[in-house]
Amino acid sequence: MTEKKIGLISGGGAFPLMFAKEARNLGYAVFIVGLKGITPKEIEQYAAATGYFRLGQISGPIDFLKKNGVNKVLMAGKVTHVSIFGGIMPDLRAAKLLLTLKDRKANSLLGALGDELQKDGIELINSATFLEHLLPAPGLLAGPKPGKDAMLNIEFGWKAAKTLAGLDIGLTVVLRDMIVIAVEAMEGTDACIRRAGAVLRAGGAVAGKRLPDMAVVKVARPGQDMRFDLPVIGAKTLENMSEAGAEILAIEARKTLILDKDAFMAKAKELDITVISVDPTAFKT
């Protein structure tokens, strides 16, 4: 019987751990390309083999995957964008690749990496593989249904977030009464939410006190490539929202991954936060 194999290029956080565990439970041998100082060491418990490489290396990871007979690989986990400005040491293959790019946006870098893998017979696959059940369909997931004013606020935030996402700036905005309080950049969603709370507290708001219809809106990029950089949320997002005073979380249906969904839903109920999964065609952008 042929052994089922799959590769994982692992960033940080819970996402790669969840995938590796699920793949192993499904009978796959998981070969993990780890990034030094980024990939959680505990992922090794789910791995058939793990190789660690510096951010910016291409030849070493490809050789590792080919040596282990892996022809399908996915990418999961966080690599902070600020890493691009320090600590990256491209090998010769990566340096040549960088010279061909028109820009250094995430989609450009990751798309080019996918092309390099394909040259060696390795297919970069959907990063939600085996975790499709964590991509919610449209509808109300938790809490009371948003009213008319709340939906108008969400629609405004959706358009703003889609504009940011199209420019590869960030995927999230925090707003109230159609006034944007904070937008996500390199710091990530949770830090953006905390910053919104800090802005409001500086204006006299009380930490942890709910502000009616204050919303966090998180979207996928226009034309989201499902192979990499999917929007991800978890229970920590809800905790930061509660502290900042936000009561509504709107996410993009079928393109946003909910980490540890049971824990997430329990936390939404505990904190009384509305979570709504929005059909991408619901709003004109």
Side-chain angles (χ1 to χ4, degrees):
M1 183 176 177
T2 303
E3 182 184 34
K4 298 188 295 184
K5 297 181 179 181
I6 196 162
L8 168 63
I9 301 173
S10 172
F15 184 6
L17 290 167
M18 289 184 64
F19 167 78
K21 181 179 180 180
E22 186 69 16
R24 191 190 66 171
N25 288 344
L26 291 171
Y28 282 82
V30 186
F31 294 87
I32 296 173
V33 173
L35 303 176
K36 293 180 178 178
I38 297 174
T39 300
K41 292 288 287 184
E42 56 264 38
I43 204 168
E44 294 178 9
Q45 65 186 300
Y46 307 118
T50 306
Y52 288 95
F53 304 90
R54 294 192 310 272
L55 188 63
Q57 289 184 289
I58 293 180
S59 294
I62 287 178
D63 289 345
F64 169 81
L65 294 170
K66 290 173 65 177
K67 176 183 175 182
N68 286 290
V70 176
N71 57 24
K72 293 184 183 294
V73 65
L74 62 80
M75 304 175 71
K78 295 183 291 186
V79 177
T80 56
H81 290 184
V82 75
S83 298
I84 295 171
F85 300 112
I88 185 169
M89 297 180 65
D91 59 17
L92 182 60
R93 187 166 180 176
K96 289 180 178 179
L97 179 65
L98 289 171
L99 291 174
T100 68
L101 299 179
K102 63 180 181 180
D103 58 54
R104 301 293 175 86
K105 293 180 180 179
N107 272 16
S108 300
L109 288 166
L110 297 174
L113 176 58
D115 293 340
E116 286 299 303
L117 288 165
Q118 193 64 55
K119 289 177 183 177
D120 281 82
I122 301 170
E123 180 187 1
L124 184 62
I125 63 175
N126 189 327
S127 63
T129 297
F130 306 148
L131 300 175
E132 291 88 350
H133 58 289
L134 300 179
L135 298 173
L140 184 66
L141 302 182
K145 182 178 179 180
K148 181 179 178 181
D149 289 344
M151 288 306 299
L152 288 172
N153 189 52
I154 290 170
E155 181 175 3
F156 181 83
W158 187 275
K159 293 176 180 178
K162 279 292 184 181
T163 299
L164 290 171
L167 294 171
D168 204 26
I169 294 172
L171 305 178
T172 305
V173 299
V174 184
L175 73 163
R176 185 185 182 216
D177 296 333
M178 290 189 281
I179 297 173
V180 174
I181 302 165
V183 302
E184 177 191 3
M186 283 189 176
E187 77 277 34
T189 297
D190 287 344
C192 171
I193 295 169
R194 291 194 296 270
R195 180 157 47 81
V199 169
L200 292 171
R201 286 193 294 277
V206 178
K209 183 177 180 179
R210 295 297 174 84
L211 299 173
D213 294 342
M214 179 176 167
V216 174
V217 180
K218 184 170 181 121
V219 302
R221 290 175 174 78
Q224 175 73 51
D225 190 325
M226 297 296 285
R227 298 176 301 168
F228 42 75
D229 219 17
L230 289 182
V232 175
I233 57 172
K236 190 66 177 176
T237 304
L238 299 175
E239 292 173 357
N240 284 315
M241 285 179 58
S242 182
E243 178 66 17
E247 65 176 18
I248 299 173
L249 172 62
I251 59 175
E252 185 159 347
R254 299 190 180 93
K255 293 183 180 179
T256 305
L257 194 72
I258 300 178
L259 298 178
D260 198 348
K261 192 173 182 179
D262 290 342
F264 176 87
M265 298 303 292
K267 183 61 68 172
K269 183 177 181 180
E270 174 192 333
L271 298 176
D272 193 26
I273 289 177
T274 289
V275 183
I276 183 169
S277 177
V278 180
D279 187 319
T281 64
F283 304 133
K284 294 180 180 180
T285 56

